Amino acid sequence: MKLKELERPAVQVWSPASQYPVYLATGTSAQQLDASFSTNGTLEIFEVDFRDPSMDLKQKGVLSASSRFHKLIWGSFDNGLLESSGVIAGGGDNGMLTLYNVTHILSSGKEPVIAQRQKHTGAVRALDFNHFQDNLLASGASNSEIFIWDLNNLSVPMTPGCKSQQPLEDVKALSWNRQVQHILSSAHPSGKAVVWDLRKNEPIIKVSDHSSRMHCSGLAWHPDIATQLVLCSEDDRLPVIQLWDLRFASSPLKVLESHSRGILSVSWSQADAELLLSSSKDNQILCWNLGNSEVVYKLPTQSSWCLDVQWCPRNPPVFSAASFDGWISLYSVMGRSWEIQHMVQADKISSSFSKGQPLPPLQVPEHVAQASLIPPLKKPPKWIRRPAGVSFAFGGKLVTFGLSSTPSQKLPQPCPRLVFISQVITESEFLMRSLELQEALGSGNLMKYCQNKSQQALLPCEKMLWQFLKVTLEQDSRMKFLKLLGYNKDELLEKVTTWLKRDLGPAESPQPKKDNFNSNRQQVFCSQASKHTTEDASASSAFFDELVPQNMTPWEIPITEDTDGLLSQALLLGELSSAVELCLKEERFADAIILAQAGGTDLLKRTQECYLAKTQTKISSLLSCVVQKNWKDLVCSCSLKNWREALALLLTYSGPEKFPELCDMLGTRMEQEGGRALTSEATLCYVCSGNVEQLVECWAKGHQASSPMALQDLIEKVMVLNRSLELQQAPNGISPGPTTTYRITQYANLLAAQGSLATAMSFLPNDCAQPPVQQLRDRLFHAQGSAVLGQQSPPFPFPWVVVGATTRFKETSSYRLGSQPSHQVPSPSSRPTDTFQPSLVMPLTPSYHIPCQSSRMKTISDYRTPEPQAIQPLPLGPGVRPGPQNSWKNVPTPQGNLQRKKLPEVFMPLAPITAPVRSLIPEPQRVLPSQTPISSVNHAPPGAPGELSLQQRQQPPPKMIERKALPPEHQSLKTSFEALLQHCSLSATDLKTKRKLDEAAQRLEGLYEKLCEGTLSPHVLAGLHEVARCVDARSFEQGLAVHAQVVGYSSFSEVSSFMPILKAVLTIAHKLQG
């Protein structure tokens, strides 16, 4: 992708990697002339700001030069200055070497020229700064002259060795070694490279090609390996790049041959030693992967030669290219569509002509609208590779990797990198308490566990809750709940006895015999009264005879008109209801209740209600609840200050059926009306009722769910209460509610994050069908690895998905039922049968088993659930045999049903069906003596069955043609395109369109053959899959656009057999859709 551009006929150089912002320096090229034929030289410095979306570079400094430049180099030499931007060295004609202070050029202040030296003979074409000592500069010119300059003392340069090499020639390139500071190499037009050792001041090795056709135009040292370098040749007869290793200098290690004409420059990436840029006279810029000698990036062909390419030292994916047409362009090898830049430029033009109104959309011809796609690097570059990384994994695992302490040049290639997996535990107390709970649940000694928890509790409400939980595990829990609430029967009897003794007078105390007599008499009266309800009238008469003493005075029945007289008359007439009303009116409540007992249950109930309504005391409401057993009103209307008393009443009087509901109602009211103070107390009500779900919801209102210790407290209570319910109600377990399940899952996740996988799995409910629980169980099971060997794997927790199937097949299932599948006979294959093994997604129910020899015939429909009705293959009629197998290319394959039936070991293909199936038993075929040859079947209408003669029926079966299997990764292409053809066939009405679709079905077979043979390029395959996705989404217009892009950047011979017909089908589908 082009990032920036600059119109300058100049040589270029980047600022060093340590320099920020990034600069690009340009000097007027000595080898180029502009339209004015000016010979003036200029040195300019531009800031490269990639945040600016424009294509222009910002000029930051300019300086007129005395001569033009053959070469520029930018070094980091600072001359002791703190704020220095380095030094630029320029090589010009007539042996002129000029040094410039970059800081002075940018500031336009002091004199920027540091020094000028004219020691060389001829043009100075080679310059390089030492990478270890930035004050050392190497320069090369004609007559094999090489000088080493010390910027601290420019008076006398050093010469490495003598000019004994004959004949003398130009120095085309110089390069300091990247690993050894005293090694320098030079390249010469004769194809020779000389390596100099400056400690010995002599050449140590000379590298040259034996073909004598190598004409060196550039060289570069390997960034990491000290003994390797590359040479490039500008000779059109040998346009190659040679990789040499000085340890084996007899021949090059690798030769890169993709340029068609001479190579002008090379640049080795310092960020990734496997990437090498090259520019050539064939107007191409290539990026090589030296690991496999492959071109991994290619710019579109330029309009002229590119004389120099350079990587940006600071921004690894960016490089610059200076061409002979006077342009310097900046590119990125990460790739992008040029169409975006064209759109930006079109928007700028549109904004100038819009006049406030948007312009109509531009209709660009199709051949012009093809986007210029520049694919990115085929190889991921090293600069985007993480040098170190850390990531937390499931189960509390910490996965880390980092740089090795061994230097990179000593590591083997590729370098193995160690990955460390550590167990991280951040909640030690949480794990310890979880282990204690697990042991208590496993041993069944929960009573002691609750006792310890109660003793360790600091808050009274927490202590009371654990005491209640302990009681749930015991027998006769209601009486023990009452004791915990502060109500004990034994203590109450003692208090009542003490109270009664305090009210007795002192004169009454010494009469024990009379008390005993009265007590005995009262017992006799009660016993006789109980008999009165079950015996007849004679028994009652005997009872009164025995009861009345013989010496008592006879009593009179009042008959007056006062209250007693009216009451006597009502009793005499048996009007007990009237008698009760008279007593209530006179507030003779005792008499009213006694009479009501004799009048039946209804009268007694009305009397009690009337008494309670007229009597208002401190305990009247309590008496009303006890007598009427209206516990719901008690729960709803009592003061929440007396929640303990209300709970005690429920424990004492309510039945087992209503008790849990009433306790839940009381707890809910305490939560809603009692505020935060009673919310924690409401948990006691839920413990009594055994409502785990309400207990969890109540807990969540007053605690932080993110705290592991708070969640541990909750799970401890939930587990104990669940165990008590299992013991008392359901031995098989209680199914948790959604809130409880969520908290248990959260708890199990916390345990798993601490590495306690087995414990986490044990807490998950066994019979819970909620997806989060099932998914976590499956994950925990497989994360334990060998620890669960021999155990049954949990069911797969995710929905089964049929890979490659689309809803389009369901819409056409009715059409499939009316067509017969076409059978193809594969030959026995020696390929392994596991060519397609989905690792994660498997079918719900396999429709049938396919034998080993027919594994090549698997299609997408083989991995779908079977249709409700399957058409069985028609049996062959007498005297009918199938046609030859080589006719499958000429006869269109029915596009309806893609399923394949199970093939027998000896399989005879069936005749195609051309009419709707009317009967499963075919009519007998007539045998004609003058039957046409087998080959004539091809001339019959498509799909018509052929009739064979007796001689032909006696012939052996034709030899079956072996057809390669369609790779599983490309099966979706065939599925999508066949379904598209079928959809268009059903929707088309004119005969011409139907014929075109029949032709498309045959032409696409050529595409499927190419897919089987694997001859299509990755670019074409990617485009075909993108077209198939557009077809599946019914976006045919987008599919045509993708089709145009693929055709524009593909070889005509590669795609001409199927791309035109595919475009025709897409066009037909687009018209039918509109």
Side-chain angles (χ1 to χ4, degrees), residues 496-695:
V496 171
T497 303
T498 304
W499 186 270
L500 293 176
K501 289 181 179 180
R502 186 185 63 180
D503 289 344
L504 292 176
E508 298 177 356
S509 56
Q511 296 180 356
K513 292 184 178 180
K514 186 176 181 179
D515 290 343
N516 292 339
F517 172 77
N518 291 335
S519 175
N520 294 336
R521 184 176 180 181
Q522 183 178 3
Q523 292 177 2
V524 172
F525 180 84
C526 293
S527 63
Q528 295 297 336
S530 63
K531 293 179 181 180
H532 177 72
T533 60
T534 57
E535 296 179 357
D536 54 10
S538 60
S540 300
S541 177
F543 166 75
F544 283 105
D545 290 341
E546 295 177 359
L547 183 63
V548 178
Q550 298 298 326
N551 55 355
M552 289 184 62
T553 305
W555 48 274
E556 297 180 358
I557 298 176
I559 54 175
T560 58
E561 294 300 326
D562 56 1
T563 302
D564 290 340
L566 294 175
L567 185 58
S568 299
Q569 295 178 34
L571 292 176
L572 293 176
L573 295 176
E575 291 294 333
L576 296 179
S577 177
S578 300
V580 169
E581 291 179 1
L582 288 172
C583 293
L584 291 175
K585 181 175 177 57
E586 295 297 327
E587 295 185 354
R588 297 166 63 175
F589 297 116
D591 294 339
I593 292 175
I594 291 174
L595 291 175
Q597 287 179 344
T601 306
D602 294 338
L603 181 58
L604 178 61
K605 184 177 181 181
R606 291 199 305 270
T607 305
Q608 290 174 346
E609 292 176 354
C610 185
Y611 168 76
L612 294 172
K614 289 185 177 183
T615 306
Q616 296 295 331
T617 63
K618 293 182 179 180
I619 63 170
S620 58
S621 298
L622 177 60
L623 292 176
S624 175
C625 291
V626 173
V627 172
Q628 298 178 3
K629 299 182 180 179
N630 193 358
W631 309 117
K632 188 173 182 179
D633 290 345
L634 166 70
V635 171
C636 296
S637 59
C638 73
S639 173
L640 291 180
K641 296 180 181 180
N642 301 114
W643 68 268
R644 290 174 178 266
E645 289 72 22
L647 182 57
L649 280 172
L650 297 179
L651 289 168
T652 304
Y653 292 101
S654 64
E657 297 82 7
K658 295 290 185 179
F659 177 72
E661 179 184 357
L662 294 171
C663 287
D664 291 343
M665 291 175 61
L666 179 60
T668 303
R669 185 171 171 231
M670 293 171 65
E671 286 187 67
Q672 296 176 352
E673 303 177 14
R676 188 178 182 87
L678 291 182
T679 299
S680 59
E681 305 290 352
T683 56
L684 300 179
C685 299
Y686 301 136
V687 170
C688 293
S689 65
N691 193 333
V692 181
E693 187 77 0
Q694 286 290 106
L695 174 65

Side-chain angles (χ1 to χ4, degrees), residues 152-401:
N152 295 317
N153 183 10
L154 294 171
S155 58
V156 180
M158 185 188 77
T159 302
C162 59
K163 297 183 181 181
S164 59
Q165 296 84 18
Q166 298 295 332
L168 299 178
E169 53 185 342
D170 294 341
V171 178
K172 300 288 291 186
L174 285 173
S175 181
W176 291 94
N177 192 280
R178 294 281 176 173
Q179 301 296 325
V180 183
Q181 63 181 358
H182 55 82
I183 299 296
L184 177 70
S185 62
S186 60
H188 304 272
S190 63
K192 175 179 59 179
V194 181
V195 180
W196 304 84
D197 186 349
L198 299 186
R199 292 184 306 181
K200 301 177 182 179
N201 207 25
E202 63 180 10
I204 57 174
I205 192 171
K206 298 179 182 179
V207 177
S208 61
D209 184 73
H210 299 293
S211 64
S212 300
R213 292 183 298 168
M214 189 80 173
H215 193 279
C216 288
S217 58
L219 73 93
W221 284 101
H222 196 291
D224 299 328
I225 302 176
T227 59
Q228 291 187 6
L229 56 83
V230 292
L231 300 174
C232 63
S233 171
E234 63 178 349
D235 194 333
D236 292 344
R237 298 172 300 170
L238 190 67
V240 297
I241 301 174
Q242 296 177 345
L243 174 64
W244 292 82
D245 195 312
L246 301 183
R247 294 168 294 183
F248 183 75
S250 59
S251 62
L253 288 180
K254 293 180 180 179
V255 178
L256 308 180
E257 301 174 308
S258 282
H259 286 291
S260 59
R261 298 189 64 186
I263 300 168
L264 299 176
S265 67
V266 292
S267 179
W268 210 322
S269 173
Q270 302 303 308
D272 188 346
E274 291 186 349
L275 298 182
L276 181 75
L277 275 175
S278 63
S279 63
S280 168
K281 298 177 186 177
D282 58 6
N283 299 346
Q284 291 193 99
I285 298 176
L286 304 181
C287 182
W288 304 81
N289 180 7
L290 294 180
N292 53 14
S293 303
E294 178 187 4
V295 176
V296 293
Y297 183 79
K298 178 180 179 181
L299 272 180
T301 304
Q302 307 296 308
S303 59
S304 63
W305 296 358
C306 176
L307 60 94
D308 183 32
V309 289
Q310 294 184 24
W311 290 99
C312 177
R314 187 175 182 89
N315 201 336
V318 177
F319 68 92
S320 60
S323 58
F324 278 106
D325 60 359
W327 284 89
I328 297 177
S329 302
L330 275 60
Y331 300 94
S332 172
V333 295
M334 301 311 290
R336 193 179 175 188
S337 173
W338 283 12
E339 186 181 26
I340 299 176
Q341 297 177 0
H342 297 163
M343 290 174 61
V344 173
Q345 185 177 4
D347 291 342
K348 290 182 179 179
I349 297 175
S350 299
S351 62
S352 301
F353 290 89
S354 62
K355 295 183 179 180
Q357 298 292 332
L359 295 176
L362 179 63
Q363 301 294 333
V364 183
E366 182 177 349
H367 67 279
V368 179
Q370 295 178 359
S372 299
L373 293 175
I374 304 177
L377 285 172
K378 299 179 182 179
K379 162 192 173 297
K382 187 180 294 184
W383 61 76
I384 66 173
R385 182 187 304 168
R386 295 181 181 179
V390 58
S391 177
F392 281 99
F394 183 74
K397 300 295 190 299
L398 181 66
V399 183
T400 58
F401 67 92

Side-chain angles (χ1 to χ4, degrees), residues 443-460:
S443 63
N445 192 11
L446 290 176
M447 299 280 290
K448 185 177 179 181
Y449 181 80
C450 294
Q451 183 67 29
N452 294 335
K453 285 292 178 181
S454 176
Q455 294 175 358
Q456 297 170 5
L458 301 178
L459 298 177

